[in-house]
């Protein structure tokens, strides 16, 4: 409180101002009619909903300005429901505002703190209860109860063990093995090195004996991007250059940041952009990260061709694909 | 029998079995103060009810299974496409069930409005200081509701297993597996093995329709019971004190207004669902990890998280065969954890700074708590900057900018702009206090000029009403805490460093333009 | 004439005369120089190439070099093929209005015959992708919408967005919307890989697959918005914006009305 200075006095509740509907019965009747009209509009809304549901075919489209072609069935149902609900609300509120008593009422707050006798009685009751239960005195009961409860809490945790298998070697492996053919996705066609032009990009998968066996779990780690550049455009260490074939370079399509599909290839800059968090990878430098939150380059797959010129993997990825995890060695 | 007599019979029946009359006689006359800003929480509450109703409708047709099916339904562009049963059932709801698409849209729009209303309500409670004693518990419940709401919304829009939400799940999985030591285990347990597996959608389905709604019902009930029992706060004004509530009784005024407002909220939600398309999953396509769309974002209430992740520096550390992804952990878990914990503990932090341990039922006008208001503005600015970065690709295409520019701008902006917002807001609050003081002392400027006999021109000021003068001066201005480093005998106090910090914060908090007292007014009258 | 000469000293006379003179000279010039407009399909191929060369020299060589060999600001056009020219010039991207981050689609400067001439000229420089003929572009018959959707999401959506509305690339570049584009231009873009877009040749995406993609794009274009107004088909950003502005805004408006006293 500002110590010695006296604050300005509370003038008290302002005098009640009567509404027109309080003093003029005609105004009150008019308000009543307005409320009834709103309820009436609501009823019309319900009728619109019912008619749309039963009679309007769901493949009829009508043109609404600004919105374009709209499904009439949808629009009828939705607007009908909206009108039906909204005008009930409007009517109820208008009724409250104009016709219900609006005298401000003052209600006193009660102190929350209980009276001293109650507080003391509560403390006494609890103390008495605890001591009569014997918990305080009988330490053997206390300790053994603690042990039993604590142990029993372990069972639910244990029962959840089969939520999933423990992480295994599959966490770090893909279906790319030595000699696996690269096939188009979709289509499952083997792809020749000569099928790719400079500047072209293709999404490929490892060949499966039966393409129907390929599930999303496999796609989530196998997805591969093939990009063809002119060999002179590469700026690679010799070991990485050896993993390319005549300007074709293969990267995991799964972002090393958080696992989105990285496929925005900019032909002019030779950059790969991930649309999720805008990590940018430089293809000419083995997908080195040049912008954005990704910390590691995309894993590169060692590719070559077989005798007929079809692209194959020379060996598996030398590191796990996708986002990082605790046990991932650099 | 008349209606009254019939009602009397029913009331008698119930009262003889429950003794409800005593409770109801008081409750039906309970007084609630009237201000539009008190309706924001109601918007959230009613949106929750709408979510329950529309959500139940959807569960009658939704199949939460990741089993692979081939689509043979009405939507031609997906004919013969392989997808999960969940996605196919969501398509069926949209195209085969009459009113299904409307209900899906009502459900999703209600979710967006639910979260928006929670945030608006939180801001109102924060800026008016309604979280102070005795309402700290309710504040914590509110922060809990906000957090659960974000999770529930994320799980909800992930259920249809479409390309956009599936990408969100992929990102969530990356956050889980980035947790040191236990990350891979948690991820395998959540997904039943590798990503995406076949168990995630059915599992989050149960969380989304049973566990979290149950938690919401419990928390919302306690939240409302506390408001009921502790009575609602009210804005300062003539006749309003810390010891009363001025307003209208529950019956009939509030029943009609609040009940009517439920229909308004439902009506507006249905209107949005009728005229604005939301979450067109048939255009996104089914989820597969090898596909992605440009401009992939989560729903707005997670946009700030996305923005934080986008702007994070690319830092990972490696040691002894282990990897720690700071670029994921910091924006994804650590910063949100700090923010939400700070938010939950704020009532206690503020009472520690001010030393004020009394009950408060009168709200603050934000300008009269400049530090708190400035802090709120700072947090809002932080949220806006991160939110903007979350949509940087859409902003780039629509405003001819580059994502790189926006990213760098927000990387710096997130450090520079919030403190700037703090300073500016605090100054603004103090200016407004000064303006209030002027208004009380000198009255309202009428714009009319008067020429005095001496030749001087003066502007005529009209004194403000006593009610207005009271509102402008009824707030408290607490002095800063006295926390001397040494006590009366010159002995150094324990906890000196903590007290120094507290004293500094308390001093900063107490900066204010002194309000007008009756002495000031008398002085004015004398000349 | 006498009637007119009454106005010879009118203050509007000089400006009007000037306007007439300019229009007259300009009109005469454009009529006189519009030789290509009057020539039609009866022109022989070599004349078409020569025409193309003339247009090229006038409108393109300042950036692309006198022999289309490329200069620092513009790439070589040798080997890009008729398809590239048909796409770039036909969509108005070329000639580039200003040397900004990328050429944008705008009203074409040259008409169809001029474009054909330019294309023939550039094709004559070295073999390159050809303009797809009408027979090749029968996507209604030869394409599959559903397969096209799958292909689009696999190969195109990451740049052009799930509904073909376009998306951001790095450093201010962007993938434009594919809505409202002629089928042949879509085909040519895939084959030639304009600007930042990669090349999708016929081996990686077969001609039938390309037609499926075009069929899907056209289907998405024609598809009315099924749940209401579309909000741009760009996802949650515009949805969130509308929830706050129209949704919460309307509700706050009603709340303010609710809490004000009736008169």
């Amino acid at each position: 409180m500002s110590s010695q200075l006296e604050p300005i006095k509370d003038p008290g509740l302002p005098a009640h101002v009567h509404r027109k509907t309080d003093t003029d019965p005609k105004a009150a009747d008019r308000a009543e009619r307005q409320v009834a009209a709103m309820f009436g509009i609501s009823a019309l809304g319900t009728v619109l909903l019912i008619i749309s549901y039963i009679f309007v075919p769901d493949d009829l489209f009508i043109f609404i300005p600004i919105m374009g072609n709209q499904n009439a069935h949808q629009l009828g149902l939705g607007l009908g429901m909206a009108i039906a609900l909204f005008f009930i609300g409007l009517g109820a509120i208008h009724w409250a505002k104009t016709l219900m008593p609006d005298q401000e009422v003052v209600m006193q707050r009660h102190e929350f703190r209980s009276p001293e006798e109650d507080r003391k009685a509560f403390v006494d009751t609890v103390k008495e209860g605890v001591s009569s239960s014997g918990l305080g005195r009988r330490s053997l009961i206390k300790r053994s109860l603690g042990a039993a409860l604590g142990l029993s809490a372990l069972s639910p945790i244990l029962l959840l063990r089969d939520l999933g298998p423990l992480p295994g070697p599959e966490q770090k492996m893909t279906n790319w093995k030595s000699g696996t053919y690269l096939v188009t996705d979709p289509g499952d066609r083997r792809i020749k090195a000569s099928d790719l032009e400079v500047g072209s990009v293709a999404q490929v998968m490892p060949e499966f004996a039966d393409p129907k066996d390929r599930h999303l779990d496999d796609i989530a780690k196998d997805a591969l991007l093939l990009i063809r550049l002119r060999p002179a455009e590469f700026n690679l260490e010799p070991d990485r250059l050896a993993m390319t074939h005549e300007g074709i370079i293969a990267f995991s399509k799964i972002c090393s940041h958080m696992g989105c599909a990285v496929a925005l290839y900019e032909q002019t800059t030779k950059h790969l952009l991930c649309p999720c968090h805008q990590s940018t990878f430089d293809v000419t430098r083995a997908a080195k990260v040049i912008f954005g939150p990704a910390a590691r380059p995309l894993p590169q797959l060692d590719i070559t061709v077989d005798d007929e010129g079809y692209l194959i993997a020379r060996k598996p990825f030398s590191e796990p694909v996708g986002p990082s995890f605790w046990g991932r060695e650099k | 029998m008349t209606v009254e007599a019939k009602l009397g019979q029913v009331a008698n029946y119930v009262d003889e079995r429950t003794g409800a009359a005593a409770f109801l006689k008081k409750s039906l006359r309970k007084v609630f103060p009237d201000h539009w800003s008190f309706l924001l929480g109601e918007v959230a509450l009613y949106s929750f009810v709408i979510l329950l109703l529309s959500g139940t409708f959807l569960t009658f047709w939704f199949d939460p299974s990741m089993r692979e099916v081939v689509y043979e339904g009405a939507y031609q562009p997906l004919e013969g496409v392989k997808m999960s049963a969940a996605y196919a059932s969501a398509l069926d709801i949209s195209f085969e069930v009459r009113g299904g698409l409307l209900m899906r849209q009502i459900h999703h729009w209600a979710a967006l409005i639910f979260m928006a209303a929670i945030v608006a309500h939180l801001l109102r409670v924060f800026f008016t200081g309604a979280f102070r004693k005795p309402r700290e518990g309710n504040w914590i419940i509110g922060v809990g509701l906000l957090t659960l709401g974000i999770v529930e919304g994320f799980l909800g829009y992930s259920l249809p297993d479409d390309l956009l939400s599936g990408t969100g799940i992929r990102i969530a999985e990356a956050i889980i597996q980035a947790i040191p030591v236990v990350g891979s285990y948690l991820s395998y347990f959540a997904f039943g093995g590798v990503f995406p597996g076949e168990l995630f959608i059915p599992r989050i389905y149960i969380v989304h329709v049973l566990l979290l709604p149950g938690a919401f019902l419990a928390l919302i009930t306690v939240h409302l019971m506390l408001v009921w029992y502790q009575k609602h706060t009210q804005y300062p004004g003539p006749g309003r004190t810390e010891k009363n509530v001025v307003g209208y009784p529950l019956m009939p005024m509030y029943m009609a207004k609040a009940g009517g407002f439920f229909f308004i909220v439902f009506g507006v939600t249905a209107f949005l669902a009728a005229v604005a398309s939301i979450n067109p999953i048939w255009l996104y396509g089914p989820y597969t990890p090898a596909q992605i769309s440009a401009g992939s974002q989560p729903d707005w209430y997670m946009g700030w998280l996305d923005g934080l992740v986008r702007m994070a520096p690319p830092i990972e550390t490696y040691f002894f065969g282990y990897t720690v992804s700071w670029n994921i952990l910091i924006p994804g878990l650590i910063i949100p954890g700090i923010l939400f914990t700070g938010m939950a503990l704020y009532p206690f932090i503020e009472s520690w700074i001010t030393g004020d341990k009394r009950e408060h039922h009168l709200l603050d006008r934000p300008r009269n708590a400049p530090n708190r208001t400035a802090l709120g503005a700072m947090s809002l600015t932080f949220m806006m900057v991160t939110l903007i970065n979350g949509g940087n690709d859409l902003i780039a295409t629509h405003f001819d900018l580059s994502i790189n520019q926006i990213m760098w701008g927000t990387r710096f902006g997130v450090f520079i702009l919030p403190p700037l917002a703090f300073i500016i807001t605090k100054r603004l609050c103090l200016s407004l206090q000064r303006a209030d003081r002027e208004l009380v002392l000198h009255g309202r400027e009428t714009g009319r000029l008067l020429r005095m006999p001496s030749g001087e021109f003066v502007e005529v000021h009209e004194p403000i009403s006593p009610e207005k003068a009271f509102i402008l001066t009824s707030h408290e201005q607490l002095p800063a805490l006295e926390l001397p480093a040494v006590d009366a005998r010159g002995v150094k106090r324990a906890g000196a460093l903590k007290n120094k910090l507290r004293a500094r914060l308390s001093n900063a908090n107490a900066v204010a333009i002194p309000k007008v007292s009756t002495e000031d007014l008398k002085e004015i009258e004398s000349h | 004439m006498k009637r007119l000469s009454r106005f010879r000293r009118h203050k509007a006379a000089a400006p009007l005369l000037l306007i007439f003179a300019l229009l007259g000279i300009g009109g005469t010039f454009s009529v006189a120089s519009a030789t290509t407009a009057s020539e039609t399909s009866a022109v022989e191929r070599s004349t078409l190439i020569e025409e193309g060369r003339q247009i090229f020299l006038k409108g393109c060589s300042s950036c692309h070099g006198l022999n289309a060999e490329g200069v620092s600001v513009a790439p070589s056009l040798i080997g890009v093929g008729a398809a590239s020219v048909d796409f770039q010039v036909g969509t108005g991207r070329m000639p580039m209005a200003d040397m900004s981050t990328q050429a944008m689609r705008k009203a074409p400067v040259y008409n169809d015959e001029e474009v054909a001439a330019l294309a023939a000229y550039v094709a004559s420089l070295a073999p390159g992708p050809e303009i797809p003929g009408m027979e090749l572009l029968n996507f209604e018959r030869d394409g599959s919408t559903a397969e096209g959707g799958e292909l689009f999401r696999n190969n195109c959506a990451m740049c052009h967005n799930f509904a073909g509305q376009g998306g951001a690339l790095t450093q201010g570049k962007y993938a434009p919307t594919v809505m409202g584009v002629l089928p042949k231009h879509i085909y040519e873009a895939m084959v030639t890989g304009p600007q930042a877009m990669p090349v999708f040749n016929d081996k990686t995406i077969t001609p039938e697959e390309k037609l499926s993609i075009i069929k899907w794009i056209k289907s998405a274009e024609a598809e009315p918005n099924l749940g209401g107004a579309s909000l741009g088909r760009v996802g949650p950003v515009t949805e969130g914006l509308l929830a706050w502005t129209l949704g919460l805004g309307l509700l706050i408006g009603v709340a303010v009305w609710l809490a004000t006293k009736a008169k």
Side-chain angles (χ1 to χ4, degrees):
Chain A
M1 285 279 145
S2 38
S3 37
Q4 311 92 337
L5 297 177
E6 220 187 287
I8 293 181
K9 278 220 169 5
D10 178 357
L13 275 181
H16 178 73
V17 176
H18 284 287
R19 301 166 295 191
K20 229 166 158 210
T21 45
D22 291 330
T23 50
D24 178 5
K26 282 227 273 277
D29 284 341
R30 197 167 2 147
E32 183 184 349
R33 282 196 300 275
Q34 285 165 346
V35 171
M38 292 176 194
F39 289 151
I41 296 175
S42 160
L44 288 176
T46 308
V47 169
L48 174 62
L49 186 152
I50 294 175
I51 290 179
S52 304
Y53 193 96
I54 300 178
F55 296 110
V56 177
D58 59 8
D59 54 0
L60 173 66
F61 288 90
I62 53 175
F63 182 78
I64 310 274
I66 303 175
M67 288 167 58
N69 278 327
Q70 292 299 312
N71 184 309
H73 176 82
Q74 259 288 97
L75 205 57
L77 283 179
L79 284 179
M81 189 186 282
I83 293 170
L85 294 162
F86 190 80
F87 280 92
I88 292 181
L90 220 62
I93 296 172
H94 189 57
W95 176 14
K97 281 180 63 162
T98 53
L99 294 171
M100 291 187 185
D102 74 335
Q103 287 276 19
E104 279 191 317
V105 174
V106 182
M107 196 167 86
Q108 293 306 315
R109 291 184 191 268
H110 302 293
E111 204 187 349
F112 293 121
R113 193 186 173 83
S114 312
E116 277 309 315
E117 321 80 78
D118 284 339
R119 290 166 72 98
K120 200 171 167 308
F122 167 72
V123 170
D124 287 339
T125 312
V126 171
K127 272 198 187 140
E128 218 251 296
V130 169
S131 72
S132 62
S133 73
L135 203 59
R137 249 186 323 127
R138 300 192 182 277
S139 56
L140 191 59
I141 294 181
K142 199 164 58 174
R143 278 191 235 133
S144 54
L145 175 64
L149 282 176
L151 210 59
S152 71
L154 287 179
S155 328
I157 299 176
L158 189 64
L159 284 168
L160 291 176
R161 161 66 183 88
D162 275 348
L163 272 178
L166 293 177
E170 78 287 338
Q171 196 188 21
K172 304 182 179 177
M173 291 175 357
T174 68
N175 289 310
W176 292 106
K177 307 271 186 291
S178 176
T180 311
Y181 278 90
L182 278 65
V183 294
T184 58
D185 178 40
D188 283 291
R189 298 184 300 273
R190 288 184 178 178
I191 182 166
K192 284 193 171 157
S194 53
D195 289 345
L196 292 165
E197 281 174 31
V198 171
S200 68
V201 89
Q203 171 174 311
V204 292
M205 289 286 167
E207 190 180 49
F208 268 53
D210 181 0
K212 287 205 185 57
D213 287 336
R214 184 183 298 125
H215 298 298
L216 293 187
D217 291 358
D218 305 297
I219 296 176
K221 46 186 191 178
D222 294 339
L224 194 75
L225 206 60
L226 277 181
I227 307 169
R228 185 163 204 166
L229 285 71
R230 293 192 184 81
E233 288 169 328
F234 282 132
N235 188 353
L236 296 170
E237 300 292 314
D239 60 332
R240 287 306 186 105
L241 195 58
M243 288 161 70
T244 68
H245 179 83
E246 289 178 7
I248 304 177
I249 192 165
F251 292 113
S252 167
K253 197 180 176 186
I254 309 299
C255 189
S256 58
H257 178 228
M258 291 175 109
C260 294
V262 189
L264 273 100
Y265 177 62
E266 293 179 357
Q267 207 206 141
T268 39
T269 56
K270 322 280 184 289
H271 292 164
L272 269 173
L273 173 69
C274 182
C276 285
H277 308 107
Q278 278 90 49
S279 300
T280 312
F281 304 88
D282 185 351
V283 173
T284 64
R285 284 185 288 171
K288 179 168 186 278
V289 180
I290 55 172
F291 182 79
R296 291 179 290 104
L298 297 172
Q300 184 183 351
L301 188 67
D302 191 347
I303 49 168
T304 183
V305 290
D306 73 354
D307 311 321
E308 293 167 335
Y310 287 109
L311 285 162
I312 54 170
R314 206 188 259 126
K315 55 183 199 292
F317 278 106
S318 56
E319 51 176 334
V321 305
S324 302
F325 47 93
W326 172 252
R328 187 187 197 282
E329 297 171 16
K330 172 70 169 130
Chain B
M1 198 181 275
T2 64
V3 176
E4 269 104 23
K6 248 287 178 322
L7 278 174
Q9 271 195 329
V10 172
N12 181 52
Y13 186 94
V14 173
D15 185 54
E16 280 190 352
R17 287 155 181 74
T18 59
F23 169 71
L24 282 177
K25 86 157 194 278
K26 241 184 34 182
S27 313
L28 290 177
R29 301 301 299 169
K30 196 173 183 73
V31 168
F32 287 90
D34 211 8
H35 194 269
W36 69 264
S37 63
F38 296 162
L39 288 158
L40 295 168
E42 275 185 48
V43 175
L45 174 67
Y46 298 147
S47 296
F48 177 69
V49 174
I50 297 168
L51 285 167
L52 283 178
L53 293 172
S54 54
T56 306
F57 179 96
L58 295 173
T59 61
F60 293 150
W61 285 275
F62 182 69
D63 183 3
S65 159
M66 293 170 88
R67 170 183 98 248
E68 195 179 87
V69 301
V70 172
Y71 183 67
E72 318 248 272
Y75 185 66
Q76 289 298 321
L78 288 173
E79 191 73 32
V81 173
K82 283 195 283 205
M83 56 182 63
S84 62
Y87 185 74
S89 70
L91 289 176
D92 288 341
I93 293 176
S94 305
F95 299 122
E96 323 275 353
V97 175
R98 276 175 291 184
L101 181 58
L102 181 69
M103 277 304 183
R104 270 196 61 232
Q105 305 210 146
I106 287 180
H107 195 71
H108 204 140
W109 280 118
L112 296 188
I113 292 177
F114 178 61
M115 295 308 298
I118 290 182
V119 169
H121 172 66
L122 181 152
L123 290 174
R124 195 284 294 167
V125 169
F126 179 82
F127 283 118
T128 55
F131 54 80
R132 291 173 293 175
K133 179 175 174 182
R135 296 178 177 82
E136 306 98 323
N138 233 8
W139 170 265
I140 294 179
I141 293 178
V143 174
L145 285 168
L146 173 67
T147 316
L148 288 182
I150 294 176
V151 176
E152 177 82 338
F154 171 72
L155 294 181
Y157 72 72
S158 302
L159 284 175
D161 198 25
D162 56 271
L163 183 58
L164 182 63
S165 62
T167 306
I169 298 182
R170 172 85 251 213
I171 293 172
E173 193 266 335
I175 296 180
I176 297 173
Q177 89 177 17
I179 297 174
V181 184
V182 295
S184 302
Y185 295 92
L186 289 176
S187 167
Y188 267 61
F189 284 160
F191 286 84
V194 297
F195 177 86
E198 293 219 322
L199 291 170
F200 195 66
I201 302 276
R203 285 176 180 174
I204 63 173
Y205 183 67
I206 279 302
V207 175
H208 181 80
V209 307
L210 180 68
L211 299 179
L212 283 178
F216 272 110
L217 276 168
L219 285 175
I220 292 177
T221 305
V222 178
H223 197 72
L224 289 177
M225 277 175 59
L226 280 171
V227 174
W228 181 274
Y229 180 63
Q230 294 176 330
K231 301 192 194 26
H232 204 283
T233 51
Q234 59 189 351
Y235 284 104
R240 289 156 169 81
T241 68
E242 287 282 5
K243 298 239 187 302
N244 69 11
V245 191
V246 177
Y248 304 103
L250 178 62
M251 186 167 198
M253 183 63 121
Y254 268 103
M255 279 179 155
K257 277 191 173 180
F261 198 55
F262 166 71
F263 286 96
I264 298 280
V265 174
F266 207 157
V268 168
T269 310
F271 174 69
L272 270 176
V275 301
S277 174
I278 185 170
N279 205 24
I281 53 170
W282 53 91
L283 288 176
Y284 294 147
Y287 177 64
T288 155
Q291 288 175 3
I292 188 95
S293 168
S296 288
Q297 268 91 10
D299 271 4
W300 76 264
Y301 43 85
M302 294 182 77
W304 60 281
L305 275 168
D306 197 27
L308 272 174
V309 171
R310 289 179 188 208
M311 67 169 71
I315 303 175
E316 272 186 356
T317 50
Y318 314 99
F319 54 95
F320 307 124
Y322 297 115
T323 301
V324 180
S325 302
W326 300 110
N327 56 349
I328 298 178
L329 292 173
I330 295 179
L333 290 174
I334 297 177
I335 292 186
I338 296 175
L339 282 175
F340 275 66
T341 309
M343 191 161 47
L345 293 178
Y346 186 75
F348 309 102
I349 298 174
E350 190 179 281
S351 75
W352 179 73
I353 294 176
T354 58
D356 186 1
K357 295 204 188 301
R358 300 161 305 155
E359 273 178 31
H360 290 277
H361 300 286
L362 280 176
L363 296 171
D364 279 333
R365 295 172 75 220
R367 67 188 63 183
N368 292 327
N371 249 44
R372 180 202 302 148
T373 306
L375 193 69
M378 186 165 106
S379 316
L380 261 179
T381 308
F382 176 86
M383 286 300 173
M384 288 306 303
V385 172
T386 52
L387 187 65
I388 285 172
N389 198 37
N392 60 13
D393 41 8
L394 260 73
I395 294 176
T397 42
H398 283 86
F399 296 106
D400 249 332
L401 300 165
S402 96
I403 53 176
N404 311 76
Q405 282 171 340
I406 300 176
M407 190 93 98
W408 277 111
T410 51
R411 271 175 169 169
F412 284 107
V414 86
F415 288 106
I416 299 175
L417 292 175
L420 210 62
F422 184 95
I423 295 170
I424 294 175
T425 309
K426 185 158 180 180
R427 290 291 123 202
L428 262 171
C429 287
L430 292 172
S431 289
L432 287 167
Q433 286 188 19
R434 222 171 269 127
D436 281 351
R437 190 184 159 83
E438 279 303 301
L439 206 58
V440 178
L441 286 179
H442 302 292
R444 189 178 72 86
E445 293 171 354
T446 57
R448 289 194 331 259
L449 292 178
L450 198 63
R451 193 168 187 191
M452 308 286 283
S454 57
E456 187 190 344
F457 280 104
V458 292
E459 183 180 6
V460 176
H461 283 235
E462 202 180 84
I464 55 176
S465 64
E467 282 83 21
K468 183 118 199 228
F470 179 65
I471 294 178
L472 295 181
T473 55
S474 64
H475 57 283
E476 277 185 343
Q477 291 189 310
L478 295 172
L481 286 176
E482 302 255 326
L483 293 166
V486 293
D487 68 8
R489 290 198 217 133
V491 179
K492 227 176 170 190
R493 280 183 189 269
L497 205 61
K498 202 174 72 161
N499 276 339
K500 239 178 148 177
L501 174 67
R502 194 178 180 194
R504 272 185 114 175
L505 289 171
S506 181
N507 273 316
N509 198 63
V511 172
I513 306 296
K515 60 180 189 175
V516 177
S517 62
T518 44
E519 281 87 355
D520 289 325
L521 280 181
K522 288 201 194 98
E523 227 191 287
I524 289 282
E525 275 163 31
S526 65
H527 61 64
Chain C
M1 223 18 149
K2 265 226 170 115
R3 272 247 198 105
L4 259 180
S5 64
R6 270 194 297 134
F7 296 102
R8 68 190 181 281
R9 291 198 202 281
H10 194 279
K11 60 184 175 187
L16 267 175
L17 267 176
L18 192 58
I19 291 172
F20 278 129
L22 285 169
L23 284 173
I25 295 174
T28 317
F29 179 78
S30 59
V31 165
S33 67
T35 44
T36 51
S38 53
E39 263 125 1
T40 54
S41 52
V43 171
E44 281 200 47
R45 186 136 185 87
S46 57
T47 326
L48 196 66
I49 295 176
E50 183 50 36
E51 255 173 61
R53 197 174 83 88
Q54 292 305 322
I55 300 171
F56 180 84
L57 288 173
K58 235 186 325 197
C60 322
S61 59
S62 52
C63 289
H64 284 285
L66 285 172
N67 298 307
E69 74 277 15
V71 194
S72 58
V73 293
S76 158
L77 299 179
I78 301 174
V80 298
S84 291
V85 177
D86 193 45
F87 173 77
Q88 298 279 7
V89 185
T91 59
R93 284 176 165 82
M94 289 289 149
M96 207 162 161
D98 68 277
M99 305 300 278
S100 58
T101 354
Q102 73 183 56
M104 44 182 264
R105 183 166 129 201
K106 51 193 190 294
V109 170
Y110 299 108
N111 61 30
D112 290 341
E113 287 86 357
E114 289 165 323
V115 172
L118 273 170
Y121 167 64
V122 169
S124 72
L125 299 172
E130 289 169 12
I131 300 174
M134 286 315 295
E135 216 349 79
L136 182 56
L137 286 174
N138 196 344
F139 60 87
E140 291 290 350
R141 181 193 68 196
D142 298 330
S144 147
T145 315
E147 198 202 347
E150 284 287 90
L151 286 159
F152 188 88
R153 286 187 288 275
N154 261 354
N155 297 291
C156 324
M158 58 278 221
C159 292
H160 289 283
N161 142 306
F162 61 90
Q165 301 296 317
L169 301 175
T170 63
Q171 308 296 348
K173 303 190 288 291
Y174 60 93
T177 172
V178 299
M179 297 286 125
V181 180
L182 291 176
K184 73 163 176 167
H185 286 152
I186 301 176
Y187 197 100
E188 287 162 352
M190 284 192 268
V191 168
T192 62
Q195 297 186 97
M197 179 166 167
V199 171
F200 296 98
N201 60 13
D202 286 346
K203 293 284 175 47
T204 48
I205 299 186
T206 66
E208 290 78 34
E209 288 174 336
K210 288 195 171 70
L211 291 180
S212 294
I213 292 178
I214 294 172
K215 191 170 186 191
W216 182 86
I217 292 176
K218 289 303 158 194
S219 147
E221 203 177 298
E223 186 178 298
N225 298 303
L226 297 169
S230 90
L231 306 184
R233 291 187 178 176
V234 286
V237 174
T238 44
E239 293 164 2
L241 213 57
L242 198 72
W244 272 95
T245 51
L246 193 62
L248 202 61
L250 249 174
L251 289 171
I252 290 181
V254 176
V256 171
W257 171 72
L258 187 156
T260 44
K261 276 171 148 344
K263 293 223 214 341

